[in-house]
Amino acid sequence: MPLALVATSHSPLLAHADLDPEVSAELEATFEQARRFAADFDPDVVVSFGPDHYNGFFYNLMPAFCVGYGAESIGDYGSQAGRLDVPEDLAKGLAEAVIGDGVDLAVSLDMQVDHGAVQPMEILFGDIRAKPVVPVFVNSVAPPFTPLARVRRLGEAVGRYLAGQDRKVLLIASGGLSHDPPVPRLDTATAQQRTMLLGQGGPITPEARQARQQRVIDTAKEFAAGTATIQDLAPEWDRELMAILASGDLSPLDAWTPEEMTRIAGNSSHEVRTWIAAYAALAAAGPYEVRHSYYRPIRELIAGFGLTTVESRAHH
């Protein structure tokens, strides 16, 4: 069955940033392009590659990859909360096929996901339960990171399995591109932050969550004003990545090291792993073509913000 892909940056600041009206209009126009693309494709099911920001996965046990047999959105930054409609048969078959293909991953019968996983579903369909969805977690914020060649092999294994299914699948990649938001790092964490990164101390309180979110919102305002100390965006790196992905030959990315990615594009640039996995999945089903491509570095969102819609040539 045919596959299609929407790869997009997400940002918890979309509902909190004071954007220039021209940029807001531009973003809404590209989101509308993506909505029409998804509606025209009319998938039976979505397979969504997404990161997590220490809301569902912690350093007490951090997998490189995890497939959700069941999942719940926690509803941070105003994103929709609640259970996702996960088709367990497809999730189980996918996980078993990927492991059988030589790529180890974890599974979860109760995956907790945040805005990074559900925001594209809300933008495309208006509801996180509008379509059955299999969430695939790709570790993108917690070093050490698995090599990109292995991320590519994960995607290829997913694509080979999905291409043999009797269902029309929309792939979603959610994350990136260059950005360096104020997320605590293990090697510089305070004792309190270390407890949080380990997932200890019980569920985060509403007050603590609000303080955490406000810190990101405040940093975004400082970044837009040029007074923040976080790492700058890297538009050239973003555009090079998008060009490689559009080319259909993802192998040059195998040489990109985690250390270089962090140095050039920031600690959270690793969210592009979701794009690489999803593009690799699409490539496994045959040649593809990018139908719509958008990019703009947006400091108010602390993001090199990109969106592409991609379709198999055979389907078109």
Side-chain angles (χ1 to χ4, degrees), residues 21-313:
E22 179 188 347
V23 176
S24 291
E26 195 177 270
L27 277 176
E28 181 51 35
T30 206
F31 290 154
E32 185 55 31
Q33 284 262 7
R35 289 187 196 104
R36 285 201 298 271
F37 176 83
D40 290 345
F41 185 67
D42 191 21
D44 300 312
V45 64
V46 171
V47 172
S48 177
F49 296 87
D52 177 74
H53 309 82
Y54 299 111
N55 287 303
F57 292 88
F58 301 90
Y59 266 117
N60 59 345
L61 185 61
M62 182 64 71
F65 314 123
C66 182
V67 171
Y69 291 7
E72 180 172 17
S73 169
I74 67 162
D76 61 333
Y77 289 96
S79 60
Q80 186 180 347
R83 301 295 301 180
L84 303 182
D85 177 14
V86 181
E88 187 170 338
D89 62 329
L90 184 65
K92 187 169 183 286
L94 186 150
E96 291 176 348
V98 170
I99 292 171
D101 218 350
V103 180
D104 293 336
L105 50 71
V107 300
S108 171
L109 274 62
D110 189 23
M111 185 187 287
Q112 301 294 296
V113 299
D114 66 14
H115 68 276
V118 302
Q119 190 178 77
M121 285 290 288
E122 291 188 76
I123 290 172
L124 293 177
F125 301 109
D127 189 326
I128 61 175
R129 291 182 58 84
K131 294 285 183 182
V133 57
V134 177
V136 181
F137 163 74
V138 180
N139 176 29
S140 302
V141 300
F145 297 112
T146 196
L148 293 188
R150 194 154 188 81
V151 175
R152 191 158 65 90
R153 286 200 286 276
L154 164 75
E156 290 168 350
V158 170
R160 280 192 289 271
Y161 175 74
L162 294 176
Q165 299 301 300
D166 188 24
R167 299 183 235 205
K168 203 161 40 167
V169 182
L170 178 67
L171 305 164
I172 290 178
S174 176
L177 305 167
S178 63
H179 63 311
D180 190 41
V183 177
R185 321 290 176 205
L186 187 63
D187 55 355
T188 57
T190 64
Q192 185 179 18
Q193 289 172 332
R194 190 180 179 88
T195 298
M196 184 279 288
L197 294 175
L198 282 162
Q200 298 172 338
I204 187 170
T205 66
E207 293 77 15
R209 183 176 301 286
Q210 180 59 34
R212 184 170 158 185
Q213 294 178 176
Q214 191 60 49
R215 185 173 66 251
V216 175
I217 293 168
D218 292 344
T219 300
K221 290 178 179 173
E222 293 167 6
F223 191 47
T227 59
T229 57
I230 59 175
Q231 186 168 329
D232 206 352
L233 305 177
E236 290 185 7
W237 186 88
D238 294 338
R239 292 189 176 100
E240 180 184 3
L241 172 79
M242 292 177 73
I244 292 172
L245 293 171
S247 75
D249 177 11
L250 277 55
S251 61
L253 297 171
D254 293 357
W256 290 24
T257 68
E259 295 76 16
E260 281 291 281
M261 292 171 68
T262 300
R263 184 183 66 79
I264 298 171
N267 285 289
S268 289
S269 67
H270 297 279
E271 288 183 354
V272 301
R273 293 162 183 275
T274 64
W275 286 51
I276 295 165
Y279 266 87
L282 189 62
Y288 58 76
E289 192 164 338
V290 174
R291 301 296 179 199
H292 175 73
S293 182
Y294 169 82
Y295 176 75
R296 177 192 278 264
I298 305 176
R299 298 177 72 84
E300 290 83 353
L301 300 180
I302 319 180
F305 204 96
L307 186 149
T308 59
T309 62
V310 197
E311 196 170 19
S312 297
R313 286 183 180 146

